[in-house]
Structures are given as structure tokens and as C-alpha cells.
Amino acid sequence: MSGSTQGIGFAIARALLDEGAEVVVNGRDEGRVRDAVARLRAVVPGGAVSAIAADVADAAQVERLLDELGDVDVLVNNAGLFEVAPFESITDADWRRYLDVNLMSGVRLARRLLGPMLARGRGRVLFVNSESGVDVPADMVHYGVSKAAALALANGLAKLTRGTGVTVNTILGGPTYSDGVARAVEGIAQAQGVPADALKGTLAAARTTSLVQRFLEPEEIARLAVYLASPLSSATNGAAVRADGGVLTTLL
């Protein structure tokens, strides 16, 4: 499970452990990976959790990670970068980094793991995506484009599973108060001299199409991930399932 040392990824790892799954945590930093495993073992005593540190934007590190894994029944592609940036300031290097993390990490992992799932006739591939992949934000164009590409990737991979017990699905998450978002809000609040909680509420209300009118919690995304990773979701394949709080206004 890529990008699972904090935020949504950590919440999904915990939720899967609660359901009795054996979880392999992944992150770039060895120390943070060890810390995530320790925290998971503390909150889910007896849970089968291990970890492999690797930067999923680096093809060589992904190959090493894959060589260390055994059979994988559920692949959760959660690693992702985001930032607010004016389009004209986004460099070619920035674009490559975003595409490497938000798109190519999923390509590299699925390329090795999907085939064995198809051979066994069972498995789940899950992409944790964003409503920004459908409604690309003007102040995060590189992020939105990379997420749109990942959405297209999942759609194409699902077509390879025809007639098998393997599914490929996407979660379209809404604005979520993950660790990264919390740090960004706290930084802005400090710079503006306002309480972080007040700014959090203001930013949530600014998404005028949101029906819940608040940030989502990582655990709310995790609940949908557990369903899509389970046998209960056997009729859901090639889908982009929303947990967006009603931010997206289209019917489909």
C-alpha cells in the first residue's frame, strides 16, 4: 500500500488491519515507515503489519519494493503530491515529479501486480484519487492533470480484468483534513495571525458546492476503501466511486 505512513493512507492501513488483512506499509522515509508500523501495532494489537521503505517515484526503488513483496491480493495506490501553485510557475521538473508520483507510481506497481492477480482469478486494485481529477482546479493544474491521468489509467486497467474476479476501482475523495492539509492550514493561519480552526472552517465553507460543508476525515475515505477491497464489492469494477462530500455537481 503506497503512501501509507500518514493521513488517508494510514487510515486505510488501520481500517484494513481492523478487518484482519495483512498490511504492508510503504513510505519514502525509513524512520517514518518504522514509526507508522509502531503506531499501527499500538492501535491494532496483533495486527499483521510490516513495511518497506521506497520512493514510488523512483523506478529502481519500486522494483526493489516489488521484489521484496510476496503475493498481493489488494493493491492500494495512495501515494500523492499536492500543492497550490500558479500555472506559469510550474516547471517541467515539477510536472515530471507530479506525474511520477501521482501517475507513474500506480503504473509501476500495477504492471507487476495485476498480472498475477489475473492468473489467480482474484484481487483488488484501488486508486485513491481526488475530485480534482474530474474538476481540475485552476490553482493546482499540475495536480489535477496528474489525477485525471490516474483516473484514466484505472479505467483502462479495469478493462483488462474482464471475466475474472479481479476489480480495479477509484475513490474520488473530496477535500480531506489529512496531515498534509493540516500542516498547510496551520502555516497559512500562522502567517495570517488567525486561529487554525477558524481558517479550517472558512476554507471548508469556501467550497460552495460542498454538501457537507466541512473537511472530510481520513477515516471516512478509509471506510469506502475497505468496502472496495473486500469481497462485498465484487460487482463494482471500473468505477470511480465518490467520497467527496458532494463537491462534484455532475450526476456521473
Side-chain angles (χ1 to χ4, degrees):
M1 178 172 165
S2 67
S4 45
T5 60
Q6 63 179 356
I8 293 171
F10 184 86
I12 295 173
R14 176 177 179 173
L16 289 171
L17 280 174
D18 282 334
E19 293 297 320
E22 180 178 347
V23 173
V24 180
V25 171
N26 162 257
R28 289 179 297 167
D29 182 83
E30 185 75 46
R32 292 178 66 178
V33 165
R34 287 197 302 267
D35 177 67
V37 170
R39 287 185 288 134
L40 286 168
R41 287 175 176 163
V43 295
V44 189
V49 57
S50 59
I52 302 174
D55 183 351
V56 292
D58 183 314
Q61 292 191 46
V62 172
E63 287 302 307
R64 176 180 58 77
L65 179 154
L66 290 165
D67 289 341
E68 293 183 33
L69 286 173
D71 289 341
V72 173
D73 293 313
V74 178
L75 167 62
V76 181
N77 291 300
N78 178 70
L81 294 175
F82 75 94
E83 68 174 349
V84 174
F87 172 70
E88 62 274 12
S89 74
I90 305 169
T91 67
D92 283 3
D94 294 330
W95 277 100
R96 283 190 292 270
R97 176 66 175 166
Y98 270 73
L99 289 169
D100 259 339
V101 175
N102 294 348
L103 172 65
M104 291 306 298
S105 64
V107 170
R108 292 167 181 138
L109 291 167
R111 188 163 51 204
R112 279 275 296 270
L113 298 177
L114 180 59
M117 289 183 189
L118 295 173
R120 293 192 299 271
R122 68 179 189 278
R124 297 284 184 267
V125 178
L126 180 59
F127 288 81
V128 181
N129 205 304
S130 165
E131 45 86 17
S132 294
V134 176
D135 184 17
V136 177
D139 57 356
M140 301 172 68
V141 171
H142 54 333
Y143 172 71
V145 168
S146 68
K147 287 298 189 179
L151 181 59
L153 169 65
N155 180 267
L157 293 181
K159 294 178 173 65
L160 301 176
T161 70
R162 190 184 304 273
T164 72
V166 181
T167 65
V168 182
N169 292 296
T170 295
I171 292 177
L172 293 177
T176 304
Y177 210 65
S178 63
D179 297 78
V181 170
R183 285 193 297 270
V185 170
E186 288 163 5
I188 295 170
Q190 185 176 14
Q192 295 181 352
V194 299
D197 284 345
L199 181 60
K200 177 183 176 183
T202 300
L203 292 174
R207 295 301 300 268
T208 56
T209 60
S210 171
L211 299 180
V212 298
Q213 283 291 285
R214 61 174 175 81
F215 279 103
L216 304 179
E217 295 298 327
E219 292 75 17
E220 294 178 293
I221 307 296
R223 292 176 196 128
L224 179 55
V226 168
Y227 166 72
L228 291 173
S230 78
L232 297 175
S233 65
S234 57
T236 305
N237 195 9
V241 186
R242 297 182 189 179
D244 68 330
V247 167
L248 292 172
T249 59
T250 56
L251 289 176
L252 300 174

